[in-house]
Amino acid sequence: MGLTTTKTLNNGVEIPVIGLGVYKVEDGKTVYDAVRSALELGYRHIDTASFYQNEEGVGKAIADSGIPRDEIFVTTKVWNDEQGYEETLAAFERSLTRLNMDYVDLYLVHWPIPGKYKETWRALEKIYHDKKARAIGVSNFHPHHLEDLMKDATIKPAINQIELHPQLAQVEVREYCRNHNIAVEAWSPIGKATYLDHPVLQELAAKYRKSPAQIIIRWDYQNGIITIPKSVNQSRQKENADIFDFELSNEDMTRIEALNCGNRLGTDPDQL
C-alpha cells in the first residue's frame, strides 16, 4: 500500500486513491515545482482544471519528469463558461493543448450549470468514445443533479468530485454514489486547514502519532474516498501521503464522522 494504491472505477480504469490538487497554485515555476516534487515522492495522480489556469505548467512538469505518461493519472475539468456541447468539445481541445497531451485520464464537468450540464455531458460522452479521456465524471453534483443527468446519459459518471471533509461529511451524496457505483473524490479534504486544532482531531493525532491532516486523509481512505490534498511544499506532500502505516479504529472513525455539522467552505451547487 502507498501512493500506487488504486481504486477501480465503474469502467475498469484504476485511479490512485491519493493525488495532488493544484487549485490556486500559480502557473509557471510554482505549479511546475509542486508537481515535480510530488512525482518525485511517488505521487501518480495530478488534478487540475481549466479554471485553475495552470494546465500548461502541470503538463510541462509531467513531460519533464521522465515518468511514462501512462503511469500518471491526469484529471482536468471544463469550466462553467465553457459549458454546452460544442463549447465543451472546444474547451477540451484547449486543455489538451495546454497540457501538451493526446488524452487525459479523467475529464470532469466542474459544476452543474443549470440548462447546460446535460449538453456538456453529451460532449464528454463523445470525448470518451473518441478515447481522448479514459474516464469521465462530474464535480459538485448533488443527487438530484445526478438523477437528472442520468435520465438522458448513455454513460454513467465514473466519479463525483465534491467538497468533503469531516465537518462536511456529505453522507447523502456518498450514499447515493455508493448505491449507483459512482466513486466519490474529496476536494478540500482537510477543510482548508481551518479546524485542524479541533480537540477530537488533536486527540486522535496524539493517539496515532500522526498529524490531524493525516488523521483526516486516513479517514477518507478507510471510507473508500479518493482524495486530492493540495500542497506546494514537499514535506507537506510527503506527510499527506504517509497514511498507510496505521488504521483508525471503528470507534475513532465514528468520532470523526460525528464532527459533521454542514460546514461548507465553498459554494453550494444549488446556489450557482
Side-chain angles (χ1 to χ4, degrees), residues 72-137:
I72 302 174
F73 193 100
V74 179
T75 300
T76 193
K77 315 173 191 78
V78 57
W79 184 239
N80 303 346
D81 63 6
E82 300 173 315
Q83 289 198 34
Y85 183 76
E86 295 294 344
E87 296 92 332
T88 296
L89 294 178
F92 178 72
E93 291 301 327
R94 290 195 295 272
S95 283
L96 282 188
T97 298
R98 288 190 292 264
L99 288 163
N100 194 25
M101 294 175 183
D102 299 324
Y103 71 97
V104 296
D105 297 277
L106 178 65
Y107 196 46
L108 301 179
V109 182
H110 209 145
W111 290 88
I113 298 302
K116 290 273 192 179
Y117 63 78
K118 293 178 92 162
E119 282 299 291
T120 301
W121 185 253
R122 196 162 64 86
L124 265 65
E125 291 183 331
K126 174 172 171 47
I127 289 163
Y128 180 75
H129 284 306
D130 290 345
K131 296 185 166 32
K132 290 185 172 182
R134 296 175 63 230
I136 53 175

Side-chain angles (χ1 to χ4, degrees), residues 11-251:
N11 68 343
V13 166
E14 301 278 328
I15 181 171
V17 295
I18 293 182
L20 177 75
V22 296
Y23 176 49
K24 288 190 174 176
V25 179
E26 186 181 349
D27 200 15
K29 185 177 185 335
T30 306
V31 78
Y32 179 90
D33 289 348
V35 172
R36 285 297 302 270
S37 126
L39 293 173
E40 286 165 12
L41 287 170
Y43 281 76
R44 292 297 180 265
H45 174 183
I46 309 294
D47 181 283
T48 184
S50 168
F51 178 67
Y52 301 170
Q53 297 183 10
N54 57 20
E55 289 170 310
E56 198 169 326
V58 168
K60 183 166 172 37
I62 290 170
D64 290 353
S65 71
I67 299 165
R69 169 66 186 89
D70 62 5
E71 292 181 16
I72 302 174
F73 193 100
V74 179
T75 300
T76 193
K77 315 173 191 78
V78 57
W79 184 239
N80 303 346
D81 63 6
E82 300 173 315
Q83 289 198 34
Y85 183 76
E86 295 294 344
E87 296 92 332
T88 296
L89 294 178
F92 178 72
E93 291 301 327
R94 290 195 295 272
S95 283
L96 282 188
T97 298
R98 288 190 292 264
L99 288 163
N100 194 25
M101 294 175 183
D102 299 324
Y103 71 97
V104 296
D105 297 277
L106 178 65
Y107 196 46
L108 301 179
V109 182
H110 209 145
W111 290 88
I113 298 302
K116 290 273 192 179
Y117 63 78
K118 293 178 92 162
E119 282 299 291
T120 301
W121 185 253
R122 196 162 64 86
L124 265 65
E125 291 183 331
K126 174 172 171 47
I127 289 163
Y128 180 75
H129 284 306
D130 290 345
K131 296 185 166 32
K132 290 185 172 182
R134 296 175 63 230
I136 53 175
V138 297
S139 184
N140 303 301
F141 274 49
H142 285 322
H144 71 87
H145 295 122
L146 289 164
E147 283 286 329
D148 184 47
L149 185 75
M150 290 196 289
K151 284 176 187 170
D152 301 301
T154 60
I155 299 172
K156 181 191 294 185
I159 275 185
N160 186 15
Q161 184 185 112
I162 54 175
E163 180 186 348
L164 198 165
H165 44 84
Q167 289 193 348
L168 186 72
Q170 297 270 33
V171 176
E172 182 189 357
V173 183
R174 283 162 54 197
E175 181 73 16
Y176 181 92
C177 289
R178 182 163 50 247
N179 290 339
H180 290 83
N181 195 20
I182 298 169
V184 172
E185 184 172 27
W187 65 258
S188 198
I190 58 172
K192 299 184 179 178
T194 55
Y195 56 90
L196 294 180
D197 59 351
H198 191 285
V200 169
L201 296 175
Q202 289 286 325
E203 182 188 329
L204 294 178
K207 175 181 176 179
Y208 291 97
R209 298 182 180 179
K210 291 288 180 179
S211 71
Q214 287 170 317
I215 295 296
I216 293 173
I217 295 168
R218 180 71 198 191
W219 172 77
D220 275 339
Y221 174 67
Q222 288 181 217
N223 273 316
I225 296 162
I226 302 154
T227 185
I228 45 169
K230 168 199 150 190
S231 179
V232 299
N233 178 287
Q234 189 172 54
S235 64
R236 189 63 52 79
Q237 291 174 349
K238 186 175 183 181
E239 176 189 308
N240 289 342
D242 185 20
I243 57 99
F244 295 99
D245 60 350
F246 76 107
E247 184 173 355
L248 295 165
S249 69
N250 289 339
E251 179 188 0

